[in-house]
Amino acid sequence: MMPTAPELTLPEELLLLALDPRRGKPYCSGRSLEYGTAGAVLRELELQGRVTGQGGRIRVLNPLAPPDPLLAQVLGSLSAPGTGRPGGDTDTRRWVRQTGRYVQELCLEHLVHRSILRRETHRFLGLLPYYRHRAADPALSLAVRDRFTAAEAAGFPDPRSRTLAALVSAVGLSGTVARGGLRQRWAMYNLVTEEWTAEAVHRNVRQDRANRNRRSHLSSGGGSSGGD
């Protein structure tokens, strides 16, 4: 049994909070978790002094590759010539939406490579493959959850824990991991607007919800003229 969690980046912590350690299935929408993972990577890069976010845009401050290979790969894509606007600016919400799936896959592969997760292949109707990512040691997921609970009890006292709380709320995980009831979930929700990456994630989640509601309305006949 592993009493303490190893060194983890923000996206790795978010994934371990979001994935059922025994079933390997996320507790929230898979698409929302993709956005959250992308937002967590950006915030990790900011905490390391590599990027900043202002006015809804990402600006690279230090293009030198960090030691973590995943973060280095993402930073390289942000600072590559021809990306974003002159000076390295990239729209945060659009970047989160367009790269979420790719960034999450990189994070999952990294966790599998580190033997923190195990990837299992399943097939829908025996044909279409899909994946589940179970914890190699459920005690590690529990340690991450315990660390989050301790930060919650302390009022999320540092920038890293506040960001994680905001991302948890933005992707729809607060009902699963928060222990302080409705009041604490509202407090986490209020952190979303204070964290630029979480706000970009939340905007994409809301856009998806609005798109689903619109399709549902149209399919139920709500978009018809009603005849003569």
Side-chain angles (χ1 to χ4, degrees), residues 148-205:
F148 184 88
T149 300
E152 179 187 353
F156 302 111
D158 58 272
R160 191 178 192 86
S161 65
R162 285 195 295 274
T163 297
L164 188 56
L167 289 168
V168 162
S169 180
V171 303
L173 271 175
S174 57
T176 300
V177 302
R179 292 292 176 264
L182 183 60
R183 177 178 295 182
Q184 186 61 62
R185 294 200 295 273
W186 271 112
M188 292 168 62
Y189 179 80
N190 290 332
L191 288 174
V192 172
T193 57
E194 299 178 13
E195 301 287 342
W196 62 281
T197 58
E199 186 173 22
V201 170
H202 185 53
R203 289 177 61 193
N204 280 302
V205 171

Side-chain angles (χ1 to χ4, degrees), residues 8-21 25-28 33 37 111 116-117 133 135 140-152 156 160-161 163-169 171-179 188:
L8 296 168
T9 62
L10 271 173
E12 290 171 341
E13 285 191 271
L14 180 64
L15 284 168
L16 289 179
L17 285 172
L19 293 171
D20 184 321
K25 184 177 180 180
Y27 292 115
C28 62
L33 184 56
T37 307
L111 287 167
I116 293 174
L117 294 178
H133 293 86
L140 173 56
S141 295
L142 180 60
V144 172
R145 181 73 65 91
D146 287 345
R147 187 160 65 188
F148 184 88
T149 300
E152 179 187 353
F156 302 111
R160 191 178 192 86
S161 65
T163 297
L164 188 56
L167 289 168
V168 162
S169 180
V171 303
L173 271 175
S174 57
T176 300
V177 302
R179 292 292 176 264
M188 292 168 62

